[in-house]
Amino acid sequence: MTSAMKSASAVALALALAGQGSAADMVTEIGPGEGRLNIVAWPGYIERGETMAEFDWVTKFEQATGCMVQVKTANTSDEMVALMNEGGFDLVTASGDASLRLIAGKRVQPVNTALIPSWDTVDDRLKEAPWYVVDGVHYGVPYMWGPNVLMYNTEVFGDQPPTSWNVVFEEMTLPDGKSNKGRVQAYDGPIHIADAALYLMYHRPELGITSPYELNPDQYAAALDLLRQQRQLVGRYWHDAFIQIDDFKNEGVVASGSWPFQVNLLKSEGAPVGSVIPVEGATGWADTTMMHVDAANPNCAYMWFEHTLSSNLMSDLAVWFGANPGVPAACTDGRGMATAETCAENGFDDFEKIRFWTTPTANCSQGQDACVPYYRWVSDYIGVIGGR
Amino acid sequence: MSTPGLSAETEASRASRRGGEGLGARLSDLLWRRPALLLALLLGPPLLWLGVVYLGSLFALLAQSFFSIDEFTGQIRREFTLKTYGELLTPANLDIIRRTVQTAALVTVTAAVIAFPIAYYAARYARGRWKAVFYLGVMLPLWSSYLVKVYSWKLILAKEGILNWAFGKLGLTWALEAYLSLPGVGGNSLSTSPTGTFLVFVYVWLPFMILPIQASLERVPASMLEASGDLGARPAQTFRHVILPLAFPGVIAGSIFTFSLTLGDYIIPQIIGTSARFIGQAVYQHQGTAGNIPLAAAFAVVPIAIMGLYLWWAKRRGAFDAL
């Protein structure tokens, strides 16, 4: 984690100049609510009991503050950035790859943590996280986080659950005596290159990889080679969580990188699956609620910040989404449905093993223009999946 | 006292009415005298819409393809260059284009072969209620959501799906496995093989092939077929020399649909198949997640160019003569 922090803070440093300008325009006091609040969020992140009656963390907020919540869902980080650039929204639940871009683009404003009574309850591991704190200025409030776990079929692996990502990278015979060829999956997004790099970081230290998101051309080439080898094993890459669930049920897939969301859903349907964070560690996401620089409803936004930290929101969302709350107490104090066990299952204790998602940029801790930028990740990963 | 007031009032109202009439009448006179003006007024807004919103955005897109992305910062460099087109011609991208065009061509030919007999039956033999059943049968799949159809095909083709089960019951699993082990068309299961992608494309676009063929067959006069028979042609000869040439514009019209729809689709290859990209997916990914708009635009030009060539060829074959 420390090196991830280091590398991420290098990116943060590079962006610091861009972020400084607006640091002075922070909200200094909270007035009465404006009556409405517009949020850009991931699907499933803000529920008002319409999907399932028991998952509701909006109604009470609206009753208590009079701020009527409008949610616009976005499916990718890029969509979120685009929506925030358009404007007209107050808040966004930005992942690590979007948050720094929003700060650099001056689309979000610094948050005055002194105005949020429950700020102190935020996980200490997140309080100064480099994906939203630039130059000591907080540009948001931690929301939820989670790992990309290795999901496996418990019937196939029996009493020898996998301990390494090698089951999805190297051809091998699984405990049921059959090859893993054609029975494993990988994520259908260029960011999966980081998973390969993470694997190499552990197994080929001579490459000198310090962060899976900062790869020089040699390290990058090694990661692509590993992914080409993986292509031989993968029948279809997964893109949509529900298709992956179907593939585990109907397509004979027995191991894949996945999210706790799919693991929980499959388990709830009685499917024989388990999940593990292997010895190499895992990649993951950490989301932050950020406030638009021209937010029309700043008072409601600050009330929402407090609401996310102090209500049943994070606790119920942890159960609903298979993620971890930014406030550790939400796992244990019974404010919602989550218990210590739920959080443990979602990987709460594995924070140190997780390399949180950031956008690869050319300028990295290895130097100016030393790393392969994200757009090349995209075109090369397309090539790998196409069999090149 | 009241009379002058009243008359003044009527005067005023009459004047205003006359004024209103005058304006309407003058406008109508003007339009009658200058039909070109009327035409311009009627056609202007839709043409403006088409020209500015549709063609304008298309050209804006095409212009983007002559920009390039800065290697280091990922920023778009707004200077004329052919570098992006050079990038389009890298082996990995050529693979995508070849894969897409090949599938589109194969889907089109297969759809035409399947659609022709169905359309022929509907045009020549189906009457009354059966005609209605035919239309319903062809159109019904178009009423349900495209995604629902694709997802259900995923289940049908899955390793533990109904098709595999049927092959197993028939003792033909070995045949399926032998087929799936073939390089290029096979895969882990039908749902993760190029064959699966192909089958679903054919299913989804088939109605777009049947309907134009049926329409063109309806227009082939029965008397010509009788004449052909009277002159001693065997049924195969009649088909080859009379029916097919007359119905061919319909086949081409249908093929324009199936070909271009396959060329642009980005959902089916994402759900069914090996995850190898098609043009539509490449555009989506370069534009949506990578911010590489120039390359996405260059990719978008490919189907336009291919369809341009195809339409030019189709025009020469007389596909639009009946329009």
Side-chain angles (χ1 to χ4, degrees):
Chain A
M1 189 56 217
T2 46
S3 65
M5 293 278 257
K6 235 183 278 168
S7 56
S9 49
V11 176
L13 230 115
L15 299 170
L17 280 176
Q20 259 170 350
S22 51
D25 321 322
M26 200 150 60
V27 175
T28 48
E29 59 177 338
I30 307 178
E34 294 88 350
R36 59 180 65 245
L37 182 63
N38 297 310
I39 310 179
V40 179
W42 292 105
Y45 249 21
I46 297 185
E47 293 283 322
R48 53 165 75 244
E50 280 169 356
T51 317
M52 281 174 92
E54 63 266 45
F55 291 98
D56 177 2
W57 40 87
V58 173
T59 312
K60 269 192 223 150
F61 172 77
E62 290 180 339
Q63 283 163 359
T65 63
C67 301
M68 303 319 271
V69 177
Q70 284 277 350
V71 177
K72 167 85 187 153
T73 57
N75 283 309
T76 64
S77 290
D78 303 274
E79 254 178 81
M80 285 192 174
V81 174
L83 285 170
M84 289 298 276
N85 284 342
E86 275 172 32
F89 298 98
D90 300 306
L91 297 172
V92 60
T93 60
S95 293
D97 57 319
S99 54
L100 286 176
R101 273 193 273 168
L102 289 169
I103 297 169
K106 300 184 184 170
R107 299 327 298 165
V108 290
Q109 60 172 289
V111 168
N112 189 347
T113 54
L115 294 180
I116 305 167
S118 301
W119 172 260
D120 286 335
T121 63
V122 170
D123 198 326
D124 286 331
R125 303 172 295 186
L126 295 169
K127 268 186 184 143
E128 303 294 328
W131 52 85
Y132 78 98
V133 182
V134 173
D135 222 23
V137 179
H138 290 79
Y139 284 89
V141 175
Y143 198 57
M144 305 293 282
W145 61 273
N148 299 319
V149 295
L150 174 60
M151 175 158 73
Y152 61 95
N153 182 311
T154 49
E155 278 170 7
V156 168
F157 283 87
D159 54 357
Q160 309 164 50
T163 56
S164 163
W165 286 106
N166 65 1
V167 291
V168 295
F169 284 120
E170 324 259 355
E171 181 159 10
M172 61 167 63
T173 307
L174 297 180
D176 69 346
K178 286 188 266 178
S179 165
N180 61 346
K181 195 169 178 181
R183 298 203 292 160
V184 298
Q185 276 188 337
Y187 185 54
D188 181 13
I191 206 65
H192 185 61
I193 294 174
D195 290 84
L198 187 71
Y199 182 75
L200 291 175
M201 218 166 126
Y202 185 88
H203 292 277
R204 287 182 55 194
E206 73 275 13
L207 285 168
I209 300 176
T210 52
S211 157
Y213 304 104
E214 302 189 336
L215 304 175
N216 66 34
D218 293 335
Q219 298 163 343
Y220 181 73
L224 286 188
D225 281 338
L226 181 63
L227 292 166
R228 287 187 189 104
Q229 177 181 322
Q230 184 184 48
R231 167 80 262 204
Q232 306 304 314
L233 307 175
V234 172
R236 175 168 48 226
Y237 290 74
W238 76 273
H239 183 94
D240 178 308
F242 290 93
I243 295 188
Q244 182 177 48
I245 288 174
D246 187 54
D247 284 340
F248 264 76
K249 287 194 290 193
N250 295 317
E251 207 54 70
V253 173
V254 299
S256 172
S258 185
W259 299 332
F261 180 64
Q262 285 98 299
V263 179
N264 289 349
L265 264 175
L266 275 167
K267 275 186 180 166
S268 74
E269 293 173 13
V273 297
S275 69
V276 62
I277 293 183
V279 288
E280 295 91 353
T283 55
W285 79 92
D287 296 344
T288 310
T289 313
M290 302 180 108
M291 186 170 163
H292 196 281
V293 67
D294 303 319
N297 310 300
N299 297 330
C300 280
Y302 269 84
M303 291 177 202
W304 178 262
F305 283 144
E306 172 61 19
H307 177 72
T308 61
L309 300 180
S310 61
S311 72
N312 63 324
L313 184 153
M314 286 189 176
S315 184
D316 287 351
L317 183 51
V319 175
W320 172 246
F321 202 77
N324 288 303
V327 174
C331 292
T332 49
D333 67 4
R335 62 174 79 178
M337 290 176 229
T339 60
E341 288 79 51
T342 338
C343 289
E345 220 165 84
N346 292 344
F348 189 80
D349 304 319
D350 299 307
F351 190 88
E352 307 300 324
K353 294 188 194 165
I354 298 171
R355 300 282 181 159
F356 289 101
W357 223 95
T358 46
T359 304
T361 51
N363 299 335
C364 63
S365 62
Q366 302 196 35
Q368 286 273 321
D369 300 335
C371 291
V372 180
Y374 186 58
Y375 87 92
R376 287 235 353 246
W377 287 41
V378 175
S379 47
D380 290 334
Y381 196 54
I382 289 176
V384 168
I385 291 181
R388 288 247 163 215
Chain B
M1 269 312 284
S2 67
T3 322
L6 183 71
S7 73
E9 202 178 274
T10 31
E11 271 300 303
S13 71
R14 215 178 286 146
S16 82
R17 212 183 310 133
R18 212 182 300 133
E21 271 173 13
L23 192 66
R26 258 181 288 156
L27 193 67
S28 116
D29 286 352
L30 182 72
L31 291 179
W32 186 82
R33 273 197 301 272
R34 296 178 186 274
L37 187 67
L38 177 66
L39 198 68
L41 277 177
L42 286 176
L43 279 182
L47 274 182
L48 221 61
W49 169 263
L50 194 73
V52 175
V53 176
Y54 181 74
L55 288 179
S57 57
L58 195 64
F59 281 119
L61 176 79
L62 295 189
Q64 294 276 345
S65 68
F66 292 104
F67 296 154
S68 65
I69 193 159
D70 190 292
E71 296 268 346
F72 303 119
T73 60
Q75 303 274 323
I76 291 165
R77 229 187 277 135
R78 297 179 186 280
E79 291 161 23
F80 177 85
T81 172
L82 289 174
K83 185 171 150 279
T84 308
Y85 280 97
E87 217 174 302
L88 184 67
L89 299 179
T90 55
N93 290 340
L94 285 178
D95 271 357
I96 294 176
I97 296 170
R98 183 191 48 73
R99 183 182 302 126
T100 312
V101 173
Q102 202 173 302
T103 310
L106 218 60
V107 166
T108 302
V109 171
T110 312
V113 170
I114 298 174
F116 206 96
I118 300 175
Y120 191 81
Y121 176 80
R124 292 258 157 251
Y125 298 104
R127 289 285 170 268
R129 179 177 303 182
W130 284 109
K131 196 104 172 173
V133 168
F134 160 79
Y135 276 117
L136 208 66
V138 173
M139 305 290 270
L140 202 60
L142 295 178
W143 296 351
S144 67
S145 157
Y146 166 83
L147 268 180
V148 170
K149 285 182 282 183
V150 177
Y151 277 109
S152 42
W153 269 99
K154 180 178 184 296
L155 287 175
I156 294 170
L157 297 173
K159 204 179 191 81
E160 281 154 44
I162 188 163
L163 211 60
N164 260 32
W165 174 83
F167 270 100
K169 284 284 172 196
L170 295 171
L172 287 173
T173 305
W174 59 270
L176 184 65
E177 263 166 24
Y179 178 79
L180 285 178
S181 66
L182 295 175
V185 295
N188 235 348
S189 72
L190 276 173
S191 123
T192 60
S193 69
T195 311
T197 320
F198 163 76
L199 286 176
V200 178
F201 268 132
V202 171
Y203 167 80
V204 170
W205 304 142
L206 195 60
F208 296 96
M209 183 61 102
I210 296 179
L211 293 175
I213 296 185
Q214 191 244 355
S216 70
L217 282 171
E218 298 264 13
R219 284 207 294 263
V220 177
S223 56
M224 285 204 183
L225 306 189
E226 286 158 12
S228 170
D230 289 347
L231 292 172
R234 279 175 278 113
Q237 283 175 313
T238 306
F239 176 75
R240 174 142 166 43
H241 295 289
V242 180
I243 300 175
L244 195 57
L246 286 173
F248 206 65
V251 178
I252 291 188
S255 73
I256 291 169
F257 287 125
T258 54
F259 192 75
S260 62
L261 286 170
T262 313
L263 221 48
D265 191 79
Y266 65 99
I267 309 254
I268 292 174
Q270 185 187 306
I271 298 175
I272 316 265
T274 61
S275 293
R277 294 290 185 276
F278 277 56
I279 291 176
Q281 289 170 289
V283 172
Y284 181 75
Q285 204 166 6
H286 282 298
Q287 189 274 121
T289 60
N292 194 347
I293 291 172
L295 188 55
F299 255 116
V301 170
V302 174
I304 296 175
I306 293 172
M307 280 318 291
L309 282 174
Y310 189 77
L311 289 178
W312 171 76
W313 175 81
K315 185 171 183 305
R316 292 194 40 189
R317 295 301 305 253
F320 310 121
D321 292 353
L323 293 182

